[in-house]
Amino acid sequence: SRQRRRDRTLDSACDDQLLAMMDMKGFDPKEISVAVKDGKVKVLAEHEEKHTTASGKEYNYRKTMREISLPIGVREDDVTYSL
């Protein structure tokens, strides 16, 4: 699917310093957390919207989580990320 292609782990031939790139469109940076633990990078994003309409209240909620295993030889302390 298009989503899988867009969020897939990048081939190391593209950039040996880049493990993955994720499209976080629709999420505010404050709604995204990144943790590096147990040899994995864990990305969690949650977004909630509340709207009042003539017919009542509407809620929209999105959540995405992704775990990526670190390549052999990469130390957890060496991992950096940017939004």
Side-chain angles (χ1 to χ4, degrees), residues 11-77:
D11 185 338
S12 60
C14 294
D15 184 340
D16 63 353
Q17 299 297 311
L18 184 61
L19 177 63
M21 183 179 283
M22 295 178 64
D23 181 358
M24 302 306 285
K25 185 177 179 180
F27 292 99
D28 188 275
K30 295 178 283 188
E31 299 171 325
I32 303 168
S33 65
V34 179
V36 182
K37 185 177 178 183
D38 301 326
K40 295 182 180 182
V41 177
K42 298 175 185 179
V43 180
L44 174 65
E46 295 181 83
H47 178 78
E48 183 176 339
E49 293 178 17
K50 298 175 188 176
H51 302 281
T52 302
T53 65
S55 61
K57 293 186 179 183
E58 293 182 3
Y59 297 90
N60 293 318
Y61 181 77
R62 287 190 314 270
K63 179 178 180 178
T64 185
M65 189 192 101
R66 181 146 180 229
E67 286 188 357
I68 305 164
S69 295
L70 293 175
I72 295 172
V74 174
R75 297 179 335 159
E76 291 178 1
D77 293 339

